[in-house]
Amino acid sequence: MSEQNTLHNTVKKTRLPSAALLLGAALSLATLGAPAALAQTGGVLPLASVGEKWPIDIETYVIRVSPQDAYKPIGLEVYSPTLNLSDYADGRKTKAQGYFGDELYGKNIQFSTTFTLSGTSGTVFERSFGMNREHTWESLWASGLPAGTYNLKVNSSGDGKNSFALRVSTPFTLETSDFTVNARDTEQSDLLVARLTVPSDWVGKTLSVTNYDIDGPKEAQNWVVEPGNKRVDLPSSDNGKYATVKFPITAALVGEWAVYIKVLPTTKQYSNAVTYSFRLDDKPITARVGGFTPPTTAKISNQLLVDVVDPQGNPIPGASYTLSNDNTVRPTLPSGYVPVSATVLQGTGNVISSTELRYTPGNVKLRFVARPPYKLLVDVVDPQGKPIPGASYIEAKDNSVRPVLPNGYVPVSATVLQGSGNVVSPTELRYTPGDVKLRFVARPPEGALAVDSVAIYGSQRIPLTGIPFNLAGKTYSTPITMPLRPGDYPIDPTQLAGSSVNNPPVGRVVDGTTGRVTIEYTPRTEVTLLTSPDLLGACDVAQLTATAKTDFPYKLPGTLNLNLPAGWTSDYPLTLRGDLSSGNPLRLKVPVRVCRTDSAEAVLDPVGLRTTGQARVRSPGGANITRNVEQGARAGVAKSIEANAQGYVVTLQITADSTIDNVQITDPLPTSGSAVRGPLSVSGPSLANLSPRVDGDTILLTRVIPGSYTLTYQLLTSLPAEQVLTAPDIRW
């Protein structure tokens, strides 16, 4: 493609279709360049960047810097980066002196080409070139680069074509998988397009070579030279078309390949832009391009050399620089290095700062000097000189240093061990730059937390020992005093049977003090009073049994008292002091002479828990029990029997002061002789569940509400009255 009408008749800018672009995998690459004689015969085969209507919008060339070649001079140079108006725009239609293939397809058109080199750390440089009437020889990047992969992108803007040539210093190469060359010649020379190396692991795969827009077989021939100097012709693509040849790789094809193009005498144009693409099994692979012998009369202009050295003049490992489009250079320094100065050693430029120089294009050499970081050693230790885990320090711009201590540590002192500095406080040192060693001393927090546990029983606080609790993921037992760092520590108590426990307050530890937390348990107890018999003759003797029970596993001191009404007397003590705990109730048994129907009272101190037991003076007898549960409901059952022809009628009178679920009434049958319980009948409040269920000696009421209930049944037995009466019990 060369002339204006040819360019405008071709396709718009599109990427190569997948069938033509399919080629991939990496290539082992070396510098591409035709021999000097070939390069001079017919001139240099330039690369090209087309501004509009071309499949490749931005030409991309890859430069790889291995670790062993890091910071070696790249020597990236370009010939004719500008669009030369003398080549085409001034009306020349024939080959002229120095003709290089630049074309502009209209008058008063602005055209520019931008060269951008970037790596993993960002842009290295970006330079833009416009239009003139001479071919210049420019140095884009003379210095070295850190190890890595760099992309040189070439992007043109405007309706035209810019031809240029690139080269790099040994051992570096320029690689690309899709690129455009400008075939220009009138002497029918073999012009080298690219080289690539086919390794042995490609055997069995397919290599594809594609050309685009040669404008037909009368314009140019192109071919590949396989290993063994075997030539294989490639088809010449038509105007705006692609032509692809696929090569199944065999062992005989492993080695060096070369691609050539030759302009034929039948050509209608002096320069022809042609795009080539390389694929391996439909994935892009890179070939080696660039490398050339410039015209002997071309002198390098605008060569920029930049040194980044230490105060002794030695190159700083890892240092580089950046170049902006306004000819401003800035050094890139390894971490910690401090800029010292900037100098223009050759050429013209202005020193803006120790990290910025602005130069006038030409042969320029610049130098940046930076010093390595001073050695600042900071110890943060405890009074025994051991490093404090988790401690660090911060350094401010005014050369002041402050320690960063773990929570709770208390500063003790600050010292300058080496170098010069001032002690501002135990938490601040200010030093004079240089090799300095500082030390901060801090002590760990010295707080503690004491945890104990008690049972709140009435007005008494009964100490408990061996009660487990959890703190910070660990289990301890009370009482205990634990050294802890200052802070707040939630305590998770263990639940104890027969008691309730509130979450204790958070344990607070303050440096130099001992915090204290008490876990408080409130035991639950119950009292029952049994009168047997509860139906008796006047002034007969009944046995009163008062019982205090708990499921709390630790001893609770208590006093059980019996209060007798008028007409009830006893010669025995009515008070019992002792301890009760789980499995060890406190029980007071007293014979009492009952001369009138009334109720006795059992009282458990120090909690003041009360219950009553009734006895009636009539024959043949009865028994009753009342249960009062601390912080709960109160209910009782009274049992009476009446003789009849079949045996006895048994009446259970139940009273409740609260709604209670699952009330269990124990009504044992006589143990001597045979006795059979007949069907139950029940009466009581209409809203209650009045469907009792009998299971052995247990009668279950699903739910009762406050009020009185009467249960009766026939007891079939031949036993005498004194053997029939058994003591009932009630629980829930």
mmCIF file of all heavy atoms in Angstrom, residues 63-79:
data_model
loop_
_atom_site.group_PDB
_atom_site.id
_atom_site.type_symbol
_atom_site.label_atom_id
_atom_site.label_comp_id
_atom_site.label_asym_id
_atom_site.label_seq_id
_atom_site.Cartn_x
_atom_site.Cartn_y
_atom_site.Cartn_z
ATOM 1 N N ILE A 63 10.889 -5.775 24.374
ATOM 2 C CA ILE A 63 12.307 -5.861 24.742
ATOM 3 C C ILE A 63 12.377 -6.595 26.072
ATOM 4 O O ILE A 63 11.765 -6.175 27.058
ATOM 5 C CB ILE A 63 12.948 -4.464 24.878
ATOM 6 C CG1 ILE A 63 12.810 -3.686 23.570
ATOM 7 C CG2 ILE A 63 14.412 -4.597 25.287
ATOM 8 C CD1 ILE A 63 13.289 -2.248 23.679
ATOM 9 N N ARG A 64 13.101 -7.688 26.111
ATOM 10 C CA ARG A 64 13.226 -8.483 27.338
ATOM 11 C C ARG A 64 14.608 -8.241 27.952
ATOM 12 O O ARG A 64 15.621 -8.359 27.269
ATOM 13 C CB ARG A 64 13.028 -9.975 27.063
ATOM 14 C CG ARG A 64 11.719 -10.281 26.345
ATOM 15 C CD ARG A 64 11.531 -11.781 26.123
ATOM 16 N NE ARG A 64 10.512 -12.038 25.129
ATOM 17 C CZ ARG A 64 9.204 -12.090 25.373
ATOM 18 N NH1 ARG A 64 8.787 -11.896 26.615
ATOM 19 N NH2 ARG A 64 8.336 -12.330 24.399
ATOM 20 N N VAL A 65 14.607 -7.919 29.270
ATOM 21 C CA VAL A 65 15.855 -7.695 30.006
ATOM 22 C C VAL A 65 15.972 -8.798 31.050
ATOM 23 O O VAL A 65 15.200 -8.847 32.013
ATOM 24 C CB VAL A 65 15.876 -6.307 30.685
ATOM 25 C CG1 VAL A 65 17.182 -6.118 31.449
ATOM 26 C CG2 VAL A 65 15.691 -5.207 29.648
ATOM 27 N N SER A 66 16.920 -9.707 30.837
ATOM 28 C CA SER A 66 17.112 -10.808 31.776
ATOM 29 C C SER A 66 17.843 -10.298 33.022
ATOM 30 O O SER A 66 18.480 -9.242 32.990
ATOM 31 C CB SER A 66 17.919 -11.931 31.121
ATOM 32 O OG SER A 66 19.221 -11.456 30.793
ATOM 33 N N PRO A 67 17.780 -11.030 34.137
ATOM 34 C CA PRO A 67 18.480 -10.589 35.354
ATOM 35 C C PRO A 67 19.972 -10.381 35.129
ATOM 36 O O PRO A 67 20.561 -9.442 35.687
ATOM 37 C CB PRO A 67 18.197 -11.715 36.344
ATOM 38 C CG PRO A 67 16.891 -12.294 35.898
ATOM 39 C CD PRO A 67 16.920 -12.212 34.405
ATOM 40 N N GLN A 68 20.604 -11.224 34.306
ATOM 41 C CA GLN A 68 22.044 -11.064 34.102
ATOM 42 C C GLN A 68 22.373 -9.868 33.206
ATOM 43 O O GLN A 68 23.514 -9.391 33.180
ATOM 44 C CB GLN A 68 22.665 -12.346 33.518
ATOM 45 C CG GLN A 68 22.119 -12.769 32.168
ATOM 46 C CD GLN A 68 20.972 -13.754 32.306
ATOM 47 O OE1 GLN A 68 20.253 -13.742 33.293
ATOM 48 N NE2 GLN A 68 20.832 -14.645 31.316
ATOM 49 N N ASP A 69 21.355 -9.366 32.475
ATOM 50 C CA ASP A 69 21.590 -8.211 31.607
ATOM 51 C C ASP A 69 20.991 -6.925 32.175
ATOM 52 O O ASP A 69 20.961 -5.896 31.484
ATOM 53 C CB ASP A 69 20.991 -8.466 30.221
ATOM 54 C CG ASP A 69 21.703 -9.604 29.492
ATOM 55 O OD1 ASP A 69 22.905 -9.782 29.737
ATOM 56 O OD2 ASP A 69 21.043 -10.307 28.704
ATOM 57 N N ALA A 70 20.515 -6.989 33.425
ATOM 58 C CA ALA A 70 19.905 -5.801 34.023
ATOM 59 C C ALA A 70 20.914 -4.656 34.078
ATOM 60 O O ALA A 70 22.088 -4.856 34.397
ATOM 61 C CB ALA A 70 19.377 -6.125 35.421
ATOM 62 N N TYR A 71 20.426 -3.460 33.722
ATOM 63 C CA TYR A 71 21.183 -2.207 33.778
ATOM 64 C C TYR A 71 22.310 -2.113 32.747
ATOM 65 O O TYR A 71 23.102 -1.176 32.786
ATOM 66 C CB TYR A 71 21.712 -1.949 35.194
ATOM 67 C CG TYR A 71 20.598 -1.979 36.204
ATOM 68 C CD1 TYR A 71 20.468 -3.040 37.088
ATOM 69 C CD2 TYR A 71 19.651 -0.960 36.217
ATOM 70 C CE1 TYR A 71 19.419 -3.081 37.990
ATOM 71 C CE2 TYR A 71 18.597 -0.998 37.126
ATOM 72 C CZ TYR A 71 18.484 -2.058 38.002
ATOM 73 O OH TYR A 71 17.447 -2.092 38.890
ATOM 74 N N LYS A 72 22.386 -3.079 31.830
ATOM 75 C CA LYS A 72 23.287 -2.899 30.702
ATOM 76 C C LYS A 72 22.657 -1.886 29.748
ATOM 77 O O LYS A 72 21.432 -1.822 29.609
ATOM 78 C CB LYS A 72 23.520 -4.228 29.973
ATOM 79 C CG LYS A 72 24.333 -5.236 30.762
ATOM 80 C CD LYS A 72 24.549 -6.507 29.941
ATOM 81 C CE LYS A 72 25.366 -7.537 30.719
ATOM 82 N NZ LYS A 72 25.558 -8.781 29.919
ATOM 83 N N PRO A 73 23.452 -1.057 29.057
ATOM 84 C CA PRO A 73 22.876 -0.057 28.145
ATOM 85 C C PRO A 73 21.987 -0.708 27.092
ATOM 86 O O PRO A 73 22.393 -1.641 26.394
ATOM 87 C CB PRO A 73 24.102 0.596 27.511
ATOM 88 C CG PRO A 73 25.207 0.373 28.515
ATOM 89 C CD PRO A 73 24.926 -0.959 29.130
ATOM 90 N N ILE A 74 20.745 -0.215 26.992
ATOM 91 C CA ILE A 74 19.804 -0.761 26.018
ATOM 92 C C ILE A 74 20.166 -0.299 24.606
ATOM 93 O O ILE A 74 20.094 -1.067 23.655
ATOM 94 C CB ILE A 74 18.364 -0.323 26.365
ATOM 95 C CG1 ILE A 74 17.940 -0.932 27.702
ATOM 96 C CG2 ILE A 74 17.389 -0.729 25.264
ATOM 97 C CD1 ILE A 74 17.760 -2.414 27.669
ATOM 98 N N GLY A 75 20.550 0.969 24.480
ATOM 99 C CA GLY A 75 20.903 1.501 23.159
ATOM 100 C C GLY A 75 19.738 1.483 22.196
ATOM 101 O O GLY A 75 19.903 1.140 21.022
ATOM 102 N N LEU A 76 18.547 1.846 22.670
ATOM 103 C CA LEU A 76 17.370 1.871 21.802
ATOM 104 C C LEU A 76 17.424 3.137 20.938
ATOM 105 O O LEU A 76 17.367 4.254 21.452
ATOM 106 C CB LEU A 76 16.089 1.841 22.648
ATOM 107 C CG LEU A 76 14.769 1.962 21.888
ATOM 108 C CD1 LEU A 76 14.622 0.846 20.868
ATOM 109 C CD2 LEU A 76 13.597 1.968 22.861
ATOM 110 N N GLU A 77 17.536 2.950 19.597
ATOM 111 C CA GLU A 77 17.692 4.069 18.672
ATOM 112 C C GLU A 77 16.688 3.941 17.541
ATOM 113 O O GLU A 77 16.281 2.829 17.153
ATOM 114 C CB GLU A 77 19.120 4.090 18.111
ATOM 115 C CG GLU A 77 20.167 4.298 19.202
ATOM 116 C CD GLU A 77 21.586 4.009 18.731
ATOM 117 O OE1 GLU A 77 21.723 3.467 17.600
ATOM 118 O OE2 GLU A 77 22.521 4.309 19.475
ATOM 119 N N VAL A 78 16.271 5.085 17.007
ATOM 120 C CA VAL A 78 15.302 5.105 15.927
ATOM 121 C C VAL A 78 15.836 6.003 14.806
ATOM 122 O O VAL A 78 16.404 7.067 15.057
ATOM 123 C CB VAL A 78 13.927 5.598 16.433
ATOM 124 C CG1 VAL A 78 13.993 6.994 17.015
ATOM 125 C CG2 VAL A 78 12.885 5.540 15.296
ATOM 126 N N TYR A 79 15.641 5.542 13.582
ATOM 127 C CA TYR A 79 16.012 6.344 12.414
ATOM 128 C C TYR A 79 14.724 6.852 11.767
ATOM 129 O O TYR A 79 13.778 6.094 11.540
ATOM 130 C CB TYR A 79 16.825 5.503 11.415
ATOM 131 C CG TYR A 79 17.218 6.279 10.167
ATOM 132 C CD1 TYR A 79 18.149 7.311 10.249
ATOM 133 C CD2 TYR A 79 16.638 5.988 8.938
ATOM 134 C CE1 TYR A 79 18.502 8.020 9.110
ATOM 135 C CE2 TYR A 79 16.994 6.695 7.795
ATOM 136 C CZ TYR A 79 17.927 7.718 7.890
ATOM 137 O OH TYR A 79 18.268 8.429 6.766
#
